[in-house]
Amino acid sequence: GERGRYVAVPACEHVFVWDTRKGEKVLILKGLKQQVSCLCPSPDGLHLAVGYEDGAIRVFNLLSGESAITFNGHRAAVTALQYDHLGGRLVSGSKDTEVIVWDVINESGLYRLRGHKDVITQVLFLKEKNLLVTCAKDTLVKWWDLDTQHCFKTVVGHRAEVWGMALLSQEKRLITGSADSELRVWDLTYIQEVKDPDEPESKKSKGSSSPGAEEKTEEDETLELDEHPEERIVKCSKVGSIMREGRDRVVTLGTDRMGKFLACHGTDAVLEVFSVLSEEEIQKKLEKKMKKARKKAKQNSEEEPERSVELSLQEEIQRVTSVKASSKIKSFDLILSPKGELKMVLLLQNNVIELYNLDLSAQVPQAVRVSRITIGGHRSDVRTLAFSSDNIAILSAAAESVKIWNRSTLQCIRTMECEYALCSLFVPGDRQVILGTKTGKLQLYDLASGSLIETLDAHDGAVWSIALSPDQHGFVTGGADKCVKFWEFELVKDENSVQKRLSMKHVRVLQLDEDVLCVRYSPNQKLLAVSLLDCTVKVFYVDTLKFFLSLYGHKLPVLCMDICYDGTLIATGSADRNVKIWGLDFGDCHRSLFAHDDSVMYLQFVPKSHLFFTAGKDNKIKQWDADKFEHIQTLEGHHQEVWCLALSPNGDYVVSASHDKSLRLWERTREPLILEEEREMQREAEYEESVAKEEQPVVAGERQGETGLAGKKTIETIKAAERIMEAIELYREETAKLKEHNAICKAAGKEVPFPVNPILRAYGNITPSAYVLEVFKKVKSSELEESLLVLPFSYVPDLLRLFNEYIQQGSDVELLCRALLFLLKIHFGQITSNQMLVTVIENLKKTTISRVNEARDVLGFNMAGLQFLKREIEAKEEVTFFADATERFEEKKRKRKKKEKMVLAML
């Protein structure tokens, strides 16, 4: 209900709606598994269309936060979404180079448009005409006639990818952004407007270029028409270019809803804003120019320059200002508020939302930052995580800050600035934390005050690993300077206060030949395992620092390792994608497991067990059994590389951090995990994935051209088809049983009780034919065509007979007609050649036409009734009923405020 206050932002698979005034999260639109790739609000502002990485589109209701409609048609990520001006249709473009038009009201796909050869970057409906404009990375802008569903024009004036476009000046101008600093401007002339309706047909095609032109033969006429086949509906001519300040490619190009302001940005932090003059403003400017020209002409005693005065493109589309954001811009949106302010919201690459206001009434408009949403979340990837000893606090540290989170409320309770952190730990007592940084420093923070107490230069290179000693008196660090250093906690006098404070004292150093990547103590503190850059793990005695074992076998460096609670096993994870489990008594390799499809980034044992978790660059977290060498389960949720994880000391929680900018908390449930069931679920998921990747079914007689069916074959459409088949089979069985029963009753000469099928009884003792209709109605509207497409023909005759019965009863005429026409289209040959179906089709023809006419009459009557009511109410109130009242309300408010000010001034 309020414009310019709430902003929708994708957050991995969810969409968050933020209140920019309060800086609070108002609504979460929950996704499934895939990452959000595209957003588009409906014109009425009540719905939000969300495109996902797997090609699905879901339409959310913003009042309830629920998703009612799901469209499945694309085979790759959705890259562009746009509603038409009424909100009845939605068009989507994807990485699979195809464009699909969806019917939002009917919840179904209309058609698929093929023609582009690369990723679609923008799609736009035209308001006045039933046309669509699309642009893609294949350097082309295509015009589609949606009445005939074909591409009638291709604009080829770009040398590189077309990254964005916008329609301006009541759709008389098209502006495109490419890989250079030019915004190309095209004039659009609609051919039907150019032609004079009174002109005879022959003259229209010939034109009136020269006297000789009228003497052309009919053949010449057709030749002339064929020379310019594309000049059919729209004439598109380049007017010129507007230069941007940025030298790189356009990332996003867009306008506000009214088309008065145009903005664009590249891969940098600057948003450039242009204002587009309306026709009245252009007329005023021209008149001013004309006056000046006349004055000049009078002074120079020349003739009046009637035609030479024209506005340049730069005067029609004027640069307003450039907005410098605090970081690189990812995307933006504009809204022109009723007060005449331009509101701009920017989503930045570093996980921040910024809202700017531009006062247009000022002499030199300057953008002012009004609010900034940074709550929770780091500005860069989290590289280290740690749990406090009481399982309540979680530490996460990134390149610029360290944050402490409350595990139960998921709220950030402390944020402290730090250097680029690589490893961390909670000091025993959980009042301080220590970070190891990329520059080789150790930073000690006090959590109560949120301040940095001490910084020590620990290593000459990065501090890659830190491990607390089991006796909790100190810790050990390993760095890129080939050293392992031992530290002890000590209390020192603080200069500023009487109390002593905690400090770190360097005790010993172990010099090695290679960079140290990871260090771990054995639980009895007798052994220290050190992973080196030469792909080996060396084990030393802690007390004497004497060499004990060398574990070699990995082909690439060991990035992570851990020792189990009883000190018998050590597990090592490497960049060669393998995890090796070794015995710590003799250093023998028990088993090598192929763990991930990319580097293993982190490994940790579950406390008091031989189970361990691994995190990989393949976006997955896996749990393993080190005794049975089995893979237990996979935790899927992250969309990009998982950098690190941490297990709580009681083993009930796992927290993980990823390159997708999210921290995820996993909880151990009390539900027993059965490995066979896990494997079965995995196989099912693989099967469902393979089904989606299979070739799409071909429609008989359909040419693989520019257009196609909107839907795609998915596991849902196959299940829907199976349900229809099962319902028809039940109908066949029950009909046969009923015939048999009637024959028995006839022979017996009395009524014998008929056993009702339990399924029909569950539906309230309905007839078998009504059950088929029930099943049919439950098929999602968006999946109906695809379900019928995979339905074998042997079921179609029964379905047609049932359709005839249903339509005669007058139930669900629209749905049944849609299904009937689709079945006739795809099985035309077989249906027409089947003698048994001739009477059925004849009957269908009669009943369908009469029922559709009835439905149309009812609809027409209702429309006429509503229009009559509207006229009545308008006449009563003498106001336009559907006029937007908000502008009037704002106007009244402004007047009232003015009045109050005047009264105050007088007082």
Side-chain angles (χ1 to χ4, degrees), residues 302-363:
E302 290 174 12
E303 286 181 30
E304 283 195 1
E306 280 298 323
R307 287 183 187 174
S308 59
V309 175
E310 275 183 3
L311 282 186
S312 68
L313 190 63
Q314 274 68 24
E315 285 175 304
E316 286 185 40
I317 301 172
Q318 298 173 335
R319 181 184 296 279
V320 180
T321 187
S322 292
V323 182
K324 180 92 167 75
S326 59
S327 181
K328 287 184 178 178
I329 303 171
K330 210 170 189 177
S331 74
F332 72 90
D333 199 10
L334 307 176
I335 265 190
L336 187 61
S337 70
K339 294 172 187 170
E341 265 186 338
L342 184 68
K343 290 185 175 184
M344 297 168 282
V345 66
L346 310 179
L347 175 64
L348 308 182
Q349 293 278 15
N350 68 351
N351 216 7
V352 173
I353 304 163
E354 292 188 337
L355 183 73
Y356 288 86
N357 271 7
L358 187 67
D359 187 8
L360 301 165
S361 56
Q363 202 76 43

Side-chain angles (χ1 to χ4, degrees), residues 459-583:
H459 292 265
D460 293 336
V463 182
W464 286 116
S465 182
I466 189 167
L468 189 65
S469 63
D471 64 4
Q472 302 197 338
H473 290 173
F475 59 95
V476 62
T477 58
D481 59 354
K482 305 177 186 177
C483 288
V484 173
K485 293 191 176 181
F486 294 83
W487 308 79
E488 277 184 4
F489 297 120
E490 62 171 358
L491 290 169
V492 295
K493 270 195 172 180
D494 193 359
E495 297 162 13
N496 304 332
S497 70
V498 185
Q499 287 180 329
K500 287 187 174 182
R501 67 164 179 82
L502 187 82
S503 178
M504 306 167 282
K505 186 172 86 178
H506 179 219
V507 192
R508 295 187 290 171
V509 65
L510 170 63
Q511 191 66 43
L512 294 154
D513 303 330
E514 293 285 341
D515 288 18
V516 177
L517 297 178
C518 188
V519 287
R520 285 290 177 269
Y521 273 110
S522 67
N524 57 10
Q525 210 173 326
K526 282 187 177 172
L527 303 173
L528 178 75
V530 182
S531 141
L532 302 173
L533 201 58
D534 63 1
C535 312
T536 64
V537 174
K538 302 250 190 300
V539 185
F540 297 89
Y541 289 107
V542 174
D543 48 5
T544 59
L545 297 185
K546 273 187 181 172
F547 174 72
F548 172 48
L549 290 171
S550 180
L551 313 175
Y552 53 90
H554 283 291
K555 295 182 182 69
L556 287 168
V558 173
L559 302 176
C560 52
M561 61 181 176
D562 200 17
I563 299 171
C564 68
Y565 76 104
D566 53 11
T568 54
L569 299 174
I570 178 169
T572 57
S574 161
D576 63 9
R577 304 180 288 182
N578 291 310
V579 166
K580 289 183 189 288
I581 298 161
W582 318 74

